[in-house]
Every structure is written in structure tokens, then in C-alpha cells.
Amino acid sequence: MADRMRTRLTGGAALVAAVVLWSSFALTVRGIGSSSLTSIDVAFLRFATPVVILAPWLPRTVRALRGERIGVLLLLGVGGLPHFLLSALGGRLTSAALIGLLVPGTVPLFVTVILYLRWRERISSRRLIALAAITTGIAATAIQTTSTSTTAGVGILLTAGCAWAVYTIGLRQTGLGPAGVVLTVCTPAAIAAALLAASAAMPSHLMTGTAGISDVLLFTGLQGIGTGLLSTVCYAYAVRALGSTLAATAGAISPVLAALLAVPLFGEPITSGVSAALALIVTGVTVFNTAPRRRDRACLRLPRRVRRSQGVLLDTQRSPRGSISGNAPTRIADDLTGEGEGQIGRSGAVDGDVLGLLLGGEAEVGRDARPGERLARGRGGRRGGQQGRGRCERGDGGAGVQGGSPGVPVLCRPVGEERAGRGA
């Protein structure tokens, strides 16, 4: 009992930290104009810092990229430098409250529209109501703008939200782990930002030596370490300790916190229009994240294919229980969804080894799983299962996976084995 209470307390603290760090993204983007740094300077610090910290994982990530599709990598790349520069430009023309509100708040709307247009994924009535609230909040934001530049800024922030939605869909399709995703997004973004700064294509005070050390340290800490790494770790732990629904719902508080902190930091008042937009969009996001998921054709089917992930071939067969359903919130570790709670429950593949087993609600890939020798997924995470020599099929349990749902055949084998089962 005491351990459970301690876990929930630490999970709550981690969730609070994640919400604060998410809010800091909007505040620091808004604060670029009043610092000694330019947008491309902050972009370089934002993306280069995680690359340096996660450098030991680079060789593994490079190997994993060989089995990833080019289209998925392009989707992930949109969430890097393009998304950041759009957010920075829109933030310069609007306010911190609108950055924190429009960029993450519109992602469910854009994701749903894209999934419907591309895969005809059906939408529940409750989610339609949530999306209507988000759309009304966007309209309220547009109506209360008083200048052409602010209107343009709102449009740019909506484009940034759409870019993050594209990135989110890329997350749903990738086989990379969290560390691999961060490196895949940040490495090319850091290189591109350095080239833009060095070639004078965009102004850079880092290159001219006029950037203040205090600003460099501040943005490195808040953007590079805080938003880039710690927010992901804190949110993943909160999901594991508190459950995905509570964590996703509490995450909707970040726009409110950003708007409140912008009052003393930037002197930006919370107008009636901003208040109405906050109420509508936050309510819409909360209802969207807590809406039950359909268990039939409403899910985005996982294509029947053999995927190479960390040196393992995973043959995941298409079935109603083997699908990816629709929540798609905006943070790493809860965009790849199953059923039940709808998210990679209990922090999913926390060690980033395999994200190919996305089947079932509260499923977790065990940290001890070894390529080519994995235990079968089982009912309720009971120990047991059948361990073969280089291959496994569903058994009655599974030490490496918890909370699996029955009825989904999963076959894993070493890379060298014949790719059987593609047509099964």
C-alpha cells in the first residue's frame, strides 16, 4: 500500500513537471525576441543538446533506420526544424497564450482530419463534439485578433499545429524507440540549423559572437534539456504510474499555465477572447483524450508486413485486436496506441527496443526482451508462455509483456530466418 502511494505521488510530481516543461516551450519561444538569440540560434540549441546527450544511442539508431520507410522518416522530420521555426515565427506575431493554446490544442483536429482523409477512420460522436469545441475555440481566437500581423501569426501557429499532427502520425507508424525517435528528429534538424546559421541564410548571433552566455544557458536548459528530453521522461513515468487517461487529461492544463505565466513575464493580459478560446479548446482536448475508442473498423489497421526493428523481424498480422486506434495526442510515448486505454500503456517500450508490438491496451515490451528470443504475449501479464529457439508465438503468459489481449498472433524470428508468414 505504501509503495503504491509512493508511486502515485512520484507519478503526480512527474506529471506536474511535464506540464510545466510543456508550458515552458510556449514561454521560451515567445521570449526569443527579447533575448540576445535569434530563432535559428534557439533551434540549434534545442536540437543539438539532445543529440549530444543521446550520442551513445546513435549507432543503434542508425542500424534501426535501415528498416524504416522513407515516408515515415519524412513525417517525423516535419516535427523537427519546420515545426520549431513555424512556432517561433507565429510566436513573434502573437502571444505566449496563443502559442501554448493553438499549437498543441489543434493537433487532435488535424490528426483526425488526416486519418479520415487518408484511411477513412471513423470518428465517434463524442469525439466529434470534442472537435467541434476545438474548432469553435479556433474561431474565437481568430475573431478576437485586432491586427493583420496577429491574424497572420494565428495562421502560422495553426500550420505549426498541423506540422505536429503530421509528426504524430509518423510516430504511429515508426518502429523506432523513444531515443531513436528523438535522435532521428533532432540530428538532421541540428545540422540544418547549423548550416542555415553558418551560411547567413538566417541571422545568427551565435555565429557573430554577440549572444549572451546567460541566454545560451537558459535556452539550452529549457528547450534542449527540458522540452527536448525531461518532458518526455516525466510524462512517460506519469503514464506508467497514473495511467494514460489521467496523464493525457492533465496535459491539457499546459496552455492555461502558459497563459497565466505570460501575464507577469511578458505583460500579456488574458482577454475575454483568450479565456473563451482556452475554455473551448482545453475542454475539447480533454473530452477527445478521454473518449472511448472503437474496437472495430474505427481503428487504423496495422498493415500486414514484416518489419525490421532493432535487428528483429516482426510479422504482425492484421486483425481487429491488432490495430492502432485513434487518440494520437501530441507527446512521444503516447502516440502509438492500442486498445483499452488507447495508449502504449505503462510507458510502452521504455527501453526503446521494440515498438512493433502495439497490440492491446496496457501492453509493455519487457526490458529484458532479446532479439530473436522473445516470450509470447499473454493474458494479464502472467509469467509462463512458450520460449522457442529464435521464434515465439502466443502462449498463455509472457514475462516480457504485461496486459496483453488474446487473439493476436505474433511471430518473431532472427533477421537471418526466412520471412515466412507474410501471407498468413
Side-chain angles (χ1 to χ4, degrees), residues 31 33 50 61 89 94 99 144-146 166 172 184 289 335 355 385 415:
T61 301
L89 178 58
T94 57
I99 300 171
Q144 56 108 21
T145 57
T146 57
V166 171
R172 295 179 62 168
T184 300
N289 284 338
D335 294 292
L355 289 183
V415 173

Side-chain angles (χ1 to χ4, degrees), residues 47-321:
F47 296 112
T49 303
V51 173
V52 172
I53 295 175
L54 297 178
W57 282 266
L58 269 174
R60 177 189 297 183
T61 301
V62 172
R63 291 193 299 270
L65 289 178
R66 298 171 186 169
E68 195 58 89
R69 291 166 293 165
I70 298 297
V72 174
L73 297 179
L74 292 176
L75 294 179
L76 293 176
V78 173
L81 190 61
H83 168 263
F84 183 89
L85 292 180
L86 286 169
S87 299
L89 178 58
R92 188 165 70 242
L93 298 175
T94 57
S95 64
L98 292 182
I99 300 171
L101 181 63
L102 293 180
V103 176
T106 57
V107 170
L109 175 63
F110 287 121
V111 166
T112 303
V113 171
I114 294 172
L115 292 181
Y116 177 79
L117 294 177
R118 176 63 179 84
W119 287 285
R120 288 293 186 264
E121 180 175 321
R122 291 188 295 174
I123 311 168
S124 66
S125 57
R126 183 172 175 180
R127 286 194 165 182
L128 282 175
I129 295 173
L131 295 176
I134 294 174
T135 304
T136 306
I138 295 172
T141 301
I143 292 174
Q144 56 108 21
T145 57
T146 57
S147 65
T148 304
S149 61
T150 304
T151 303
V154 169
I156 294 170
L157 291 178
L158 292 177
T159 307
C162 184
W164 195 259
V166 171
Y167 162 76
T168 298
I169 294 173
L171 279 177
R172 295 179 62 168
Q173 300 184 30
T174 185
L176 299 171
V181 169
V182 172
L183 288 171
T184 300
V185 172
C186 292
T187 303
I191 294 173
L195 291 176
L196 289 172
S199 64
M202 296 185 70
S204 171
H205 294 168
L206 284 175
M207 289 296 175
T208 60
T210 57
I213 297 298
S214 60
D215 288 335
V216 171
L217 295 176
L218 176 64
F219 282 93
T220 299
L222 291 178
Q223 280 283 348
I225 299 176
T227 303
L229 292 175
L230 290 183
S231 64
T232 299
V233 174
C234 290
Y235 186 75
Y237 183 83
V239 168
R240 189 172 189 175
L242 305 176
S244 55
T245 300
L246 177 59
T249 304
I253 301 174
S254 64
V256 179
L257 181 60
L260 292 175
L261 292 176
V263 176
L265 291 177
F266 304 112
E268 298 177 355
I270 302 178
T271 63
S272 57
V274 171
S275 300
L278 276 171
L280 287 167
I281 294 180
V282 170
T283 301
V285 171
T286 302
V287 173
F288 187 92
N289 284 338
T290 57
R293 289 147 184 86
R294 292 180 180 269
R295 293 180 176 268
D296 50 12
R297 295 181 181 177
C299 298
L300 169 65
R301 302 301 183 192
L302 189 66
R304 182 180 301 180
R305 63 179 178 270
V306 178
R307 172 180 290 177
R308 183 188 302 271
S309 178
Q310 302 294 339
V312 179
L313 294 178
L314 299 176
D315 181 12
T316 307
Q317 298 194 9
R318 174 185 278 181
S319 74
R321 302 282 282 180

Side-chain angles (χ1 to χ4, degrees), residues 397-413:
V401 179
Q402 298 179 353
S405 58
V408 185
V410 177
L411 182 65
C412 15
R413 22 173 115 66

